[in-house]
Amino acid sequence: MEDQLKKSLSRETTGYNKNLPIKVLQFGGGNFMRAFVDYTIDALNENHGFNAGIALIQPTPRGSVHKLEEQGNLYTLFTRGIKNDTIVDEKRIISAIQKSVNPYTNYNAYLALAEEEELQFLFSNTTEAGIVFDRDEDRLESGPHINFPAKVTAFLYKRYLHFNGAESKGLTIIPCELINNNADTLKEYILKYAALWKLEEGFSEWIQNHNYFHNTLVDRIVPGYPKDDAKVYEEQLDYDDKMMVVSEAFLFWVIQGGEALKQKLPLHKLNEQILVVDDIQPYRTMKVRILNGAHSAMVPFSILYGKETVKESVDDEFTGAFIKNVVFDEIIASLEMNKDEVETFANETFDRFRNPFVKHLLSSIALNSVSKFKVRVIPSLLQYVEKEQKLPLHLTFALAALIRFYKGDWHGTTLPVSDEESIVNIFKYIWLSKDYNKIATLALSNTSFWETDLTEIDGLKEAVATALKEIDTKGIKQAYLDFIKQ
């Protein structure tokens, strides 16, 4: 009965009535963008006087911008996790979105946004499949285009014409799709559409010289609408919100740019891990090696020790020490980056691992562990050997634990091995042997696993063989403790 008395979320009932000038065009209003870009713009508005409104564009014909419109483009963001070793459990109404537009039902309203005087920024997240070139989108006049770069090209061309190619009316374009060189790729496809549609050369020059494309790296876990425990969240609100979003506390955003971008978009002023840097590639490497690498290193080790979740693994005195040793003693040592920056990221990563609001099963991370290990862990092992001229003992033991994991059983229990049939069958063959030296040789020399013959690393084969034997004879804990005394 109490729920029935709640009013729908609206600007009238909440007092969020301030009209903000449209400075941001945003493609994509899904959970991630609303907990990431919209949150940061909202925080800049509230704390730093940024005064920027967002026009949200539905990127596909099937979307839900109408649901946002029904509640005044407002929604509640719940942020839950650990930050600087402190539990975070907060909520706030996000009010930066001023308009939601479905270009498939109102294309003119979409193009009209190109005439906004104060428009400066374009953000997007149209999934990894969004930034592609589709030659079938062969006419400017066939809008609304399905293809995202085509849609952007049509919009920018309208802006170019309306403002007569004014240099000051170009946009700062910051895609958030999870592909490498996302902005460079988007720019390439915009220029390809300009050529395909035979638009005047002046437009392409305007794109090249007066629109600014910034590659990015983004990371935040956003489960989205909490459908499984919505009542828990609804009880915290005195209004009805159909578009509420739940996010972890961690936010990581690296944008390729310089001082000019910082002046236009002062995201660095927020209390978040938002970096504007000359080159994002080292940060991409850092993320893969530390966050993803720690996951891949911990999974076989922790499962063999009897753990089920990431949080259990990092909280446990034994497995937690192993994971910290892997990251802080060996992965970080292999990276050519500022140590303070890397350690800050690593500490925040462990905060994420300890998030009490997320149950991250090790078995779910175990999918395709060999290919993940190849990309996420082996480069750290190789670079450590190259820099230190010795084996990284913790990473070496992690590699042995992976090989033992792929045997498929442990003390009468079936292990959650989930990989391509060909890989599983190769390990079945490898484990037919009872000779640990042979097992280590067959596993490490298989270039289809690692794209390199790991037996060529001095001492690695012998060390892995020793670790495998001790895991089977002593158990994972004693085997590890004895192994790292070498």
Side-chain angles (χ1 to χ4, degrees), residues 402-449:
L402 175 75
I403 294 168
R404 179 59 184 82
F405 177 74
Y406 268 76
K407 187 176 182 181
D409 64 85
W410 177 249
H411 296 169
T413 301
T414 300
L415 296 169
V417 175
S418 180
D419 213 321
E420 295 177 19
E421 186 177 358
S422 60
I423 292 175
V424 173
N425 287 338
I426 290 171
F427 273 107
K428 283 182 180 178
Y429 169 75
I430 289 172
W431 279 103
L432 289 174
S433 176
K434 305 298 182 185
D435 182 338
Y436 290 103
N437 282 302
K438 183 177 180 182
I439 292 167
T441 300
L442 289 173
L444 297 176
S445 64
N446 193 311
T447 56
S448 70
F449 291 167

Side-chain angles (χ1 to χ4, degrees), residues 132-152:
V132 295
F133 180 75
D134 183 357
R135 188 165 285 278
D136 289 340
E137 298 269 25
D138 57 359
R139 291 190 307 121
L140 170 65
E141 298 78 15
S142 62
H145 304 91
I146 300 296
N147 177 273
F148 167 57
K151 207 175 357 271
V152 175

Side-chain angles (χ1 to χ4, degrees), residues 163-187:
F163 290 105
N164 298 312
E167 296 179 5
S168 63
K169 296 304 180 183
L171 301 183
T172 296
I173 298 171
I174 306 178
C176 298
E177 285 81 0
L178 293 175
I179 64 170
N180 205 7
N181 300 314
N182 45 20
D184 291 342
T185 305
L186 178 58
K187 180 179 181 180

Side-chain angles (χ1 to χ4, degrees), residues 180-181 215 256 277 279-286:
N180 205 7
N181 300 314
N215 295 320
Q256 198 160 294
V277 299
D279 181 9
I280 68 170
Q281 294 309 320
Y283 295 89
R284 186 178 296 278
T285 299
M286 177 182 73

Side-chain angles (χ1 to χ4, degrees), residues 10 26 37 57 76 90 113 160 175 187 219 227-228 235 252 327 334 367 375 382 435 453 485-486:
S10 71
Q26 177 179 309
V37 170
I57 309 303
T76 312
E90 301 171 345
L113 291 168
Y160 168 79
K187 180 179 181 180
D219 190 14
K227 59 182 180 181
D228 292 335
E235 288 172 353
F252 184 59
V327 172
S334 75
L367 176 68
V375 172
L382 295 176
D435 182 338
D453 183 349
K485 290 178 183 176
Q486 297 180 44

Side-chain angles (χ1 to χ4, degrees), residues 352-473:
R352 299 178 82 184
F353 291 164
R354 289 191 290 267
N355 189 343
F357 305 106
V358 175
K359 187 176 182 179
H360 202 171
L361 295 173
L362 296 171
S363 58
S364 67
I365 308 173
L367 176 68
N368 299 327
S369 281
V370 167
S371 61
K372 288 176 179 175
F373 207 91
K374 174 186 71 177
V375 172
R376 301 171 173 183
V377 183
I378 294 301
S380 295
L381 188 152
L382 295 176
Q383 283 191 249
Y384 185 95
V385 170
E386 184 178 342
K387 284 182 69 176
E388 305 294 333
Q389 295 298 300
K390 63 180 181 180
L391 291 176
L393 293 179
H394 310 293
L395 287 170
T396 299
F397 196 88
L399 176 57
L402 175 75
I403 294 168
R404 179 59 184 82
F405 177 74
Y406 268 76
K407 187 176 182 181
D409 64 85
W410 177 249
H411 296 169
T413 301
T414 300
L415 296 169
V417 175
S418 180
D419 213 321
E420 295 177 19
E421 186 177 358
S422 60
I423 292 175
V424 173
N425 287 338
I426 290 171
F427 273 107
K428 283 182 180 178
Y429 169 75
I430 289 172
W431 279 103
L432 289 174
S433 176
K434 305 298 182 185
D435 182 338
Y436 290 103
N437 282 302
K438 183 177 180 182
I439 292 167
T441 300
L442 289 173
L444 297 176
S445 64
N446 193 311
T447 56
S448 70
F449 291 167
W450 325 112
E451 290 185 3
T452 187
D453 183 349
L454 295 178
T455 62
E456 295 177 359
I457 299 173
D458 188 33
L460 183 63
K461 178 184 69 176
E462 293 78 11
V464 168
T466 298
L468 288 171
K469 182 177 180 180
E470 294 200 343
I471 289 170
D472 275 345
T473 56

